């Protein structure tokens, strides 16, 4: 990839787990009652045909990883597990009271924080508690994030017995110097052990999360990490760009300086060479930052045009209603978004008052819904098309005019009714989506909001 293209397009930009992105939500138009009404509408439209998704945020970690920008609470006190699970189940029961019939749960994802901070017994209590008022949808897919240092075989067996078949292990990088900088001391042996356990137990999709652009990381570090990862043959991989957002309150990005990070063309080389090594090892690119072997369900979904993206990241299939449970979780009814309060204390307080712990959200306009679909298409299939009033919008000609420069640079191919991302353009998919982002264009940020796109 040319250095000039990197310099030209390496600008701050969203990762588009939603559209509109959170900083552009119109919170003044949002009310809890509107959110409840949209949730019921979406539920009635989709519960029987496809089921619903649950994202459950489990925020506790025993130590701070300094690459992390997630909502978390650092503690070694495990007596906090019980009250948190009770609160999550109470929130779920408030939703079940709202919904007109028994939910069919298609997807569950346990994210964090560190879900395996919780004991296997407490995770079992959580999952069984969900199904006291719900049932498993056909072809359900349950997944969780496991920390290789504290995920036990009992964790893996217990969750497998509860219907989980996918696990994602956070690897990041195997270099001791990088691990020390990000406060994530995690030997290869630990990752190998939990990967082998998961495979022996019967998990059908094992994922490893890798990150490039970390402090002190070199090309040799990235290639060594990929080679070690390949020796374990995970079914899918996430190869993320480190998102440096130290201005966000409460994140852990400290303990190193900006000059310790790989910059611009140096950082992009980490990705390009890493991607080549992944291709050599038969990993196929399936959306931004994600790769999979041909046997994995996500690769098959990509080939079938069924890949979906939401606040959980990429998923193998779409559910119209996704309910987020737990502190800071975001829910999506397709017609609106809602986010829970961000502190555990306020989360408990709202639930004690028998209130859904939502503090902000956004009601999508007709234009939002059209653009959302185009951005989803680009993110999931590297192509989008339009043909009628349901897929076109007033400013589409301006969007295509802006994309002309990207077409001249070889990043996209434009026809009278489509935009297709080229192989050369895949690393720039966030930039291509930004051309469709009318809210970003109408109100450019005056403060730091997003990580760099490349």
């Amino acid at each position: 990839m040319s250095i000039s293209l990197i310099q030209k397009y390496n600008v701050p930009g969203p990762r588009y787990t939603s559209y509109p992105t959170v900083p552009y939500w119109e919170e003044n138009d949002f009310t809890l009652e509107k959110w409840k009404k949209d949730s019921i509408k979406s539920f009635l439209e989709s519960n029987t045909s496809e089921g619903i998704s649950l994202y459950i945020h489990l925020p506790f970690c025993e130590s701070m990883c300094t690459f992390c920008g997630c909502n978390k609470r650092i503690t070694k006190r495990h007596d906090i597990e019980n009250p948190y699970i009770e609160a999550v189940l109470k929130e779920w029961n408030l939703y079940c009271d709202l919904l007109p019939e028994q939910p069919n749960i298609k997807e569950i994802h346990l994210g964090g924080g560190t879900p395996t901070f919780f004991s296997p017994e407490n995770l079992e209590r959580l999952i069984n508690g969900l199904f006291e008022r719900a049932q498993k949808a056909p072809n359900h897919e349950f997944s969780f994030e496991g920390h290789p240092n504290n995920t036990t075989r009992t964790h893996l067996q217990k969750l497998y017995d509860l219907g989980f078949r996918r696990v994602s292990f956070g690897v990041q990088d195997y270099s001791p110097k990088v691990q020390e900088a990000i406060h994530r001391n995690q030997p290869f042996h630990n990752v190998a052990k939990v990967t082998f356990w998961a495979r022996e137990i019967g998990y059908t999709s094992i994922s490893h999360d890798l990150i490039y652009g970390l402090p002190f990381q070199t090309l040799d570090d990235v290639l060594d990490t990929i080679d070690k990862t390949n020796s374990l043959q995970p079914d899918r991989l996430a190869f993320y760009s480190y998102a440096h957002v130290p201005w966000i309150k409460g994140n852990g990005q400290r303990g190193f300086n900006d000059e310790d990070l790989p910059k611009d063309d140096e950082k992009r080389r980490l990705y390009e060479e890493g991607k080549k090594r992944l291709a050599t090892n038969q990993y196929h690119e399936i959306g931004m930052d994600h790769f999979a072997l041909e046997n994995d369900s996500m690769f098959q979904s990509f080939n079938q045009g069924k890949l979906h993206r939401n606040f959980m990241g990429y998923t193998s299939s779409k559910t119209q209603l996704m309910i987020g449970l737990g502190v800071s979780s975001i829910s999506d009814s397709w017609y609106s978004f809602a986010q829970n309060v961000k502190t555990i204390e306020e989360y408990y307080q709202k639930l004690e008052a028998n209130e859904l712990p939502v503090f902000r959200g956004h009601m999508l306009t007709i234009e939002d819904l059209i653009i959302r679909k185009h951005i989803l298409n680009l993110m999931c299939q590297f192509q989008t098309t339009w043909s009628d009033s349901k897929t076109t919008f007033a400013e589409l000609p301006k969007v295509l005019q802006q994309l002309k420069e990207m077409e001249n640079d070889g990043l996209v191919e434009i026809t009278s009714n489509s935009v297709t991302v080229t192989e050369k353009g895949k690393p720039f998919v966030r930039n291509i989506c930004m051309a469709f982002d009318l809210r970003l264009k109408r109100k450019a940020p005056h403060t730091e909001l997003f990580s760099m796109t490349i």
Side-chain angles (χ1 to χ4, degrees), residues 28-245:
N28 291 337
D29 293 337
F30 175 86
T31 67
L32 183 56
E33 289 309 308
K34 288 180 181 178
W35 163 247
K36 290 179 180 178
K37 186 177 179 181
D38 276 354
S39 297
I40 294 169
K41 176 184 178 182
S42 186
F43 179 83
L44 289 171
E45 291 175 350
S46 63
N47 182 53
T48 302
S49 59
E50 64 187 21
I52 71 169
S53 295
L54 296 183
Y55 170 75
I56 305 175
H57 191 67
L58 302 174
F60 304 111
C61 300
E62 287 196 342
S63 63
M64 174 78 82
C65 298
T66 60
F67 66 88
C68 179
C70 300
N71 180 290
K72 67 270 181 188
R73 177 70 62 92
I74 308 301
T75 181
K76 294 186 183 295
R77 289 181 48 200
H78 285 265
D79 58 346
I80 59 172
E81 294 183 33
N82 280 325
Y84 190 80
I85 287 175
E86 288 170 6
V88 169
L89 290 176
K90 182 167 185 179
E91 184 186 3
W92 172 237
N93 282 322
L94 289 175
Y95 272 107
C96 289
D97 291 342
L98 177 70
L99 300 174
E101 60 189 42
Q102 189 178 60
N104 297 309
I105 301 178
K106 174 73 177 292
E107 291 180 321
I108 297 175
H109 184 70
L110 307 181
T114 305
T116 46
F117 172 97
F118 288 75
S119 70
E121 294 74 22
N122 277 332
L123 291 174
E124 180 180 37
R125 187 160 67 89
L126 170 64
I127 302 305
N128 284 339
L130 298 175
F131 286 103
E132 286 180 5
R133 300 189 63 181
Q135 58 190 9
K136 295 176 183 176
N139 303 314
H140 56 271
E141 185 172 289
F142 300 166
S143 59
F144 74 98
E145 298 166 13
H147 193 316
N149 285 357
N150 68 11
T151 299
T152 64
R153 187 173 184 120
T154 306
H155 276 115
L156 290 161
Q157 186 65 60
K158 186 74 72 176
L159 288 166
Y160 181 88
D161 293 342
L162 291 164
F164 286 72
R165 294 294 181 268
R166 189 166 77 78
V167 57
S168 175
F169 294 118
V171 173
Q172 323 329 332
D173 188 281
Y174 285 117
S175 160
K177 186 174 183 179
V178 173
Q179 288 190 1
E180 183 178 357
I182 64 175
H183 202 235
R184 178 86 172 202
N185 295 309
Q186 181 175 274
F188 174 73
H189 169 75
N190 288 6
V191 181
K193 180 174 63 177
V194 293
T195 300
F196 290 143
W197 281 344
R199 191 163 283 127
E200 287 171 1
I201 288 168
Y203 282 79
T204 55
S205 183
I206 300 168
S207 178
H208 287 188
D209 293 346
L210 313 180
I211 298 179
Y212 67 92
L214 291 167
F216 306 110
Q217 193 179 48
T218 67
L219 179 58
D220 285 344
D221 294 331
V222 168
L223 296 180
D224 178 64
T225 294
I226 289 174
D227 287 344
K228 283 185 168 71
T229 299
N230 183 57
S231 71
L232 302 178
Q233 284 286 287
D235 303 280
R236 66 177 76 162
L237 290 167
F239 190 35
Y240 295 117
S241 167
Y242 167 60
H244 192 51
V245 287

Side-chain angles (χ1 to χ4, degrees), residues 196-427:
F196 290 143
W197 281 344
R199 191 163 283 127
E200 287 171 1
I201 288 168
Y203 282 79
T204 55
S205 183
I206 300 168
S207 178
H208 287 188
D209 293 346
L210 313 180
I211 298 179
Y212 67 92
L214 291 167
F216 306 110
Q217 193 179 48
T218 67
L219 179 58
D220 285 344
D221 294 331
V222 168
L223 296 180
D224 178 64
T225 294
I226 289 174
D227 287 344
K228 283 185 168 71
T229 299
N230 183 57
S231 71
L232 302 178
Q233 284 286 287
D235 303 280
R236 66 177 76 162
L237 290 167
F239 190 35
Y240 295 117
S241 167
Y242 167 60
H244 192 51
V245 287
W247 56 85
I248 294 180
K249 183 180 178 181
N251 77 30
Q253 295 181 339
R254 57 180 182 266
F256 51 85
N257 299 314
D258 286 0
E259 55 265 29
D260 299 326
L261 299 169
K263 295 291 191 302
D264 298 338
D265 55 317
E266 179 189 2
K267 180 181 179 182
R268 201 61 209 176
R269 186 165 178 248
L270 300 182
Y271 175 79
E272 291 298 323
E273 295 301 320
K275 181 178 170 180
K276 289 178 186 176
R277 187 65 59 94
L278 290 171
T280 300
N281 295 329
Q282 307 307 308
Y283 285 95
H284 301 270
E285 191 168 12
I286 48 161
M288 185 180 75
D289 306 329
H290 283 68
F291 300 81
L293 298 175
E294 290 186 4
N295 65 289
D296 189 75
S297 62
M298 194 168 280
F299 174 81
Q300 293 156 11
S301 292
F302 175 75
N303 273 355
Q304 296 165 6
K306 295 179 180 178
L307 193 65
H308 184 58
R309 184 172 173 82
N310 57 27
F311 290 105
M312 297 189 289
Y314 284 105
T315 63
S316 297
S317 59
K318 172 184 171 292
T319 59
Q320 186 168 307
L321 178 62
M322 187 192 83
I323 294 175
L325 303 175
V327 64
S328 80
S329 287
I330 299 178
S331 299
D332 176 2
S333 72
W334 187 257
Y335 306 109
S336 53
F337 303 128
Q339 183 172 22
N340 283 354
V341 293
K342 292 188 175 183
T343 68
I344 292 170
E345 291 76 15
E346 193 175 1
Y347 179 67
Y348 288 167
Q349 184 180 14
K350 291 272 191 184
L351 289 167
E352 285 170 7
N354 292 313
E355 298 175 15
L356 287 178
V358 169
F359 86 105
R360 66 172 173 178
H362 175 82
M363 319 303 296
L364 279 78
T365 65
I366 293 173
E367 181 186 78
D368 287 340
L369 288 166
I370 293 171
I371 293 172
R372 177 184 192 183
K373 187 63 177 175
H374 287 301
I375 288 177
L376 268 175
N377 290 342
L378 290 165
M379 279 284 175
C380 296
Q381 300 300 327
F382 297 121
Q383 183 185 49
T384 193
T385 62
W386 53 90
S387 58
D388 53 32
S389 60
K390 293 182 179 180
T391 53
T392 56
F393 52 98
E395 295 190 40
L396 180 58
K398 291 183 181 179
V399 170
L400 298 179
Q401 189 59 43
Q402 183 179 343
L403 285 170
K404 277 291 182 184
E405 188 170 358
M406 292 187 183
E407 186 176 43
N408 293 337
D409 288 331
L411 308 184
V412 295
E413 295 174 352
I414 303 173
T415 70
S416 59
N417 70 335
S418 71
V419 171
T420 302
V421 182
T422 65
E423 193 65 34
K424 184 179 178 181
K426 286 179 179 179

